Amino acid sequence: MSSGLSLPEEDLSCPVCCDIFRDPVLLPCSHSFCRECLQRYWETSGARSCPVCRRRSSRRNPPANLALRNLCEAFAQDRVRREATEAGQLCPQHGERLKLFCQEDQLPICVVCQASKTHKGHECLPLEEAAVDCRAELKAALKTLQDQLAALNKQRSNVDMTLEHIELQAQSISKRIKDKFLKLHQFLFEEEKAALSSLRKEEEARLHTIKEKAVSTAETIDSFSETIRSLQQEVAANDLTVLQRFKTAMKRVQCSEPETELASGLLMDEAKHLGNLKFRVWEKMRSVAPHFPVILDPNTAHPCLSLSDDLTALQHRSPAPRLPSNPERFHMSAEALCSTGFCAGTHSWVVDSTGNQDWILGLAYRSVQRSAEISARPENGFWTLCLRDGVYRAMTSPPTVLTLSGKPRQIKVELDWEGGELSFTDSEEGVTLYMFTQTFEETVLPYFYTQSKHPLRILPEPASVTRGV
């Protein structure tokens, strides 16, 4: 009991029901009982006697014990107040019931707090209304975290696939390097060892990087899972608890959005190891070896494209294998870029399209969109020539149909970056098919598209080469 009441709780309890008196009545023997308890006892016993001392009462309706009722009501109110205080339902500063929620301070307050200087002028809502808003906000935050967790789980799957793909890439590159070196003279043995050593170091470095990413992703997932479990408990709590813990809970979820995509450059750099390999060795040997002015980059190729071992030819294949969803790769159509980019100088390469009736050739900015299907036109960062349904078109806006006297098999692409010119020529006939004029603003890369099973082949050129950036 509180200090305002002198009687212990047992003196305020009915001898029949052993609970606090409800509507107590007083018998002539001075014993008191709940009116309902006494009537029920009399009905059961068949006699109007005191349940304690058995003294008979001459009155059918004993008088109410007003003093005892007042004491019991005061005791009940005091117990409710104590329980409310212990449950945090009363203001610790003013002892009043918490009925409002301060929007500015995000705290439950009482009516006295609202009138105080601390919260004067602040927008306040009834607890019930504020709880609805705060619970909705917590649910939204929970949904965001759950979505981010789903994205992280998807990333973990892609990380696992990337690990496997890097290992397969390394095995494939190793095999092709060995096949090429087998065709060289024995004194090239030391060059082969150097190339394989470089490959192993890169494999180890990239595997180390992606494994660190896997560990980091797993730790982030654990952290998000723990936060979600905590928020689920917060959301399931009663209104007041939600409001009391809302500010702290929101601080826990106001973290930066996790990175849910792999960074660029995680895959093995096949072009570095295989591109112009024979030519680079030839420079040391001072002997003849084919040189290709541009090399396809497998990490950009859509999975439906198959690239040759020396990365100089591509063709459509079906079904497409499952490959990691790395940022460099085209995801929507059968496109690929070369590994060599140009931001200065003049450059040229020849593509043999013999037998291929569905292709697009040209240039693209390095920054072109790769996760959406867009037209290969200048406004999207492409400058290309197209053959489809037997019709040659320059992919301007709208496309320009070309009237040609023949069907060129070898298309020469010539770029003058500073001069802003890109021309397409029938390499065998020496006839210009079309020329784009464009002020280039960033690095451009050779671009290829095909849905034909007949390959597009980049042809070798004499050893005198202008290297790309």
Side-chain angles (χ1 to χ4, degrees):
M1 289 185 64
S2 69
S3 59
L5 295 175
S6 58
L7 293 177
E9 182 173 345
E10 53 268 22
D11 290 344
L12 300 177
S13 300
C14 171
V16 176
C17 66
C18 299
D19 200 354
I20 302 299
F21 285 108
R22 295 185 298 275
D23 188 16
V25 294
L26 180 65
L27 294 181
C29 60
S30 299
H31 291 126
S32 294
F33 305 90
C34 298
R35 186 181 297 276
E36 183 179 347
C37 294
L38 181 63
Q39 293 297 334
R40 190 183 306 113
Y41 176 79
W42 283 356
E43 291 173 1
T44 303
S45 63
R48 291 196 301 274
S49 61
C50 174
V52 175
C53 65
R54 300 294 189 269
R55 180 178 175 181
R56 294 183 62 83
S57 173
S58 59
R59 304 184 64 174
R60 182 179 298 274
N61 293 310
N65 190 336
L66 298 180
L68 181 59
R69 184 174 67 182
N70 291 338
L71 284 173
C72 290
E73 290 178 351
F75 177 83
Q77 292 175 359
D78 184 69
R79 182 165 64 180
V80 169
R81 181 175 287 101
R82 283 188 288 108
E83 290 176 351
T85 302
E86 292 172 358
Q89 295 177 347
L90 297 183
C91 175
Q93 184 175 359
H94 304 106
E96 297 290 333
R97 185 172 292 275
L98 298 171
K99 295 182 178 181
L100 300 172
F101 183 72
C102 177
Q103 294 282 73
E104 183 169 330
D105 295 324
Q106 295 187 335
L107 290 172
I109 62 174
C110 68
V111 292
V112 179
C113 292
Q114 183 186 24
S116 68
K117 291 183 179 180
T118 304
H119 300 278
K120 189 173 183 179
H122 292 181
E123 183 178 353
C124 298
L125 292 177
L127 285 183
E128 294 77 10
E129 293 183 21
V132 171
D133 294 341
C134 292
R135 182 174 276 106
E137 191 170 346
L138 283 172
K139 286 182 178 179
L142 177 63
K143 178 63 168 57
T144 299
L145 290 177
Q146 289 171 331
D147 291 343
Q148 291 172 346
L149 179 60
L152 284 168
N153 282 320
K154 183 177 180 181
Q155 184 191 50
R156 179 166 60 182
S157 175
N158 194 40
V159 165
D160 294 340
M161 187 189 303
T162 303
L163 278 170
E164 181 180 357
H165 186 69
I166 289 175
E167 292 171 349
L168 291 174
Q169 276 187 305
Q171 294 170 9
S172 175
I173 296 171
S174 178
K175 181 180 181 301
R176 283 180 279 176
I177 288 176
K178 290 180 180 180
D179 289 342
K180 291 178 183 295
F181 272 96
L182 286 176
K183 299 177 183 179
L184 301 176
H185 197 271
Q186 184 61 36
F187 76 88
L188 297 176
F189 174 73
E190 292 302 325
E191 292 293 331
E192 181 182 6
K193 284 179 58 179
L196 291 175
S197 174
S198 175
L199 169 64
R200 285 192 295 270
K201 287 180 180 179
E202 180 177 349
E203 179 189 5
E204 292 172 359
R206 294 188 185 274
L207 287 175
H208 178 72
T209 299
I210 198 66
K211 287 178 180 177
E212 285 186 337
K213 184 63 177 177
V215 172
S216 173
T217 300
E219 291 175 350
T220 305
I221 288 173
D222 291 340
S223 175
F224 270 70
S225 299
E226 180 58 32
T227 302
I228 287 173
R229 284 193 294 270
S230 176
L231 275 182
Q232 288 173 332
Q233 293 175 357
E234 298 289 353
V235 172
N238 61 60
D239 289 354
L240 183 57
T241 301
V242 168
L243 296 174
Q244 289 172 328
R245 302 178 182 175
F246 172 75
K247 189 173 182 180
T248 302
M250 288 306 300
K251 287 182 179 179
R252 290 202 302 269
V253 302
Q254 288 172 353
C255 57
S256 58
E257 184 173 347
E259 181 180 352
T260 57
E261 292 186 357
L262 294 180
S264 299
L266 287 177
L267 301 182
M268 295 292 296
D269 191 346
E270 294 189 43
K272 169 186 172 182
H273 296 281
L274 300 173
N276 291 324
L277 178 61
K278 291 182 180 179
F279 176 76
R280 288 185 280 113
V281 176
W282 169 80
E283 286 184 312
K284 297 180 180 180
M285 295 174 59
R286 297 186 180 274
S287 181
V288 178
H291 169 261
F292 297 91
V294 293
I295 297 296
L296 296 167
D297 184 354
N299 294 341
T300 68
H302 189 277
C304 71
L305 292 176
S306 175
L307 277 58
S308 63
D309 284 349
D310 59 2
L311 308 180
T312 62
L314 74 165
Q315 63 193 90
H316 195 273
R317 63 178 168 184
S318 182
R322 193 174 175 212
L323 297 175
S325 181
N326 55 296
E328 302 95 331
R329 194 178 307 284
F330 285 96
H331 295 92
M332 300 303 295
S333 59
E335 304 167 273
L337 296 174
C338 284
S339 63
T340 306
F342 308 119
C343 61
T346 58
H347 311 272
S348 65
W349 57 98
V350 179
V351 180
D352 187 348
S353 63
T354 302
N356 191 316
Q357 299 298 312
D358 189 351
W359 52 257
I360 303 176
L361 305 173
L363 285 178
Y365 277 146
R366 191 189 298 274
S367 61
V368 293
Q369 176 64 259
R370 308 187 192 191
S371 59
E373 189 167 2
I374 57 177
S375 299
R377 299 181 184 178
E379 64 268 25
N380 296 323
F382 298 84
W383 296 267
T384 59
L385 196 70
C386 171
L387 171 61
R388 178 165 294 168
D389 300 326
V391 179
Y392 292 86
R393 296 178 177 88
M395 295 301 288
T396 54
S397 298
T400 301
V401 176
L402 305 179
T403 303
L404 306 179
S405 57
K407 296 183 178 181
R409 297 179 304 168
Q410 296 183 3
I411 310 297
K412 185 176 184 180
V413 186
E414 295 181 278
L415 168 66
D416 181 351
W417 200 92
E418 285 88 358
E421 293 182 349
L422 175 67
S423 65
F424 296 86
T425 305
D426 183 338
S427 180
E428 295 176 312
E429 299 296 331
V431 177
T432 298
L433 305 176
Y434 192 82
M435 177 180 288
F436 285 92
T437 56
Q438 172 74 33
T439 301
F440 298 107
E441 299 176 349
E442 59 178 274
T443 299
V444 291
L445 300 97
Y447 168 84
F448 294 82
Y449 166 96
T450 185
Q451 289 203 24
S452 173
K453 295 188 181 299
H454 294 279
L456 295 173
R457 299 184 184 278
I458 302 168
L459 298 182
E461 67 176 11
S464 178
V465 176
T466 301
R467 299 183 185 274
V469 177

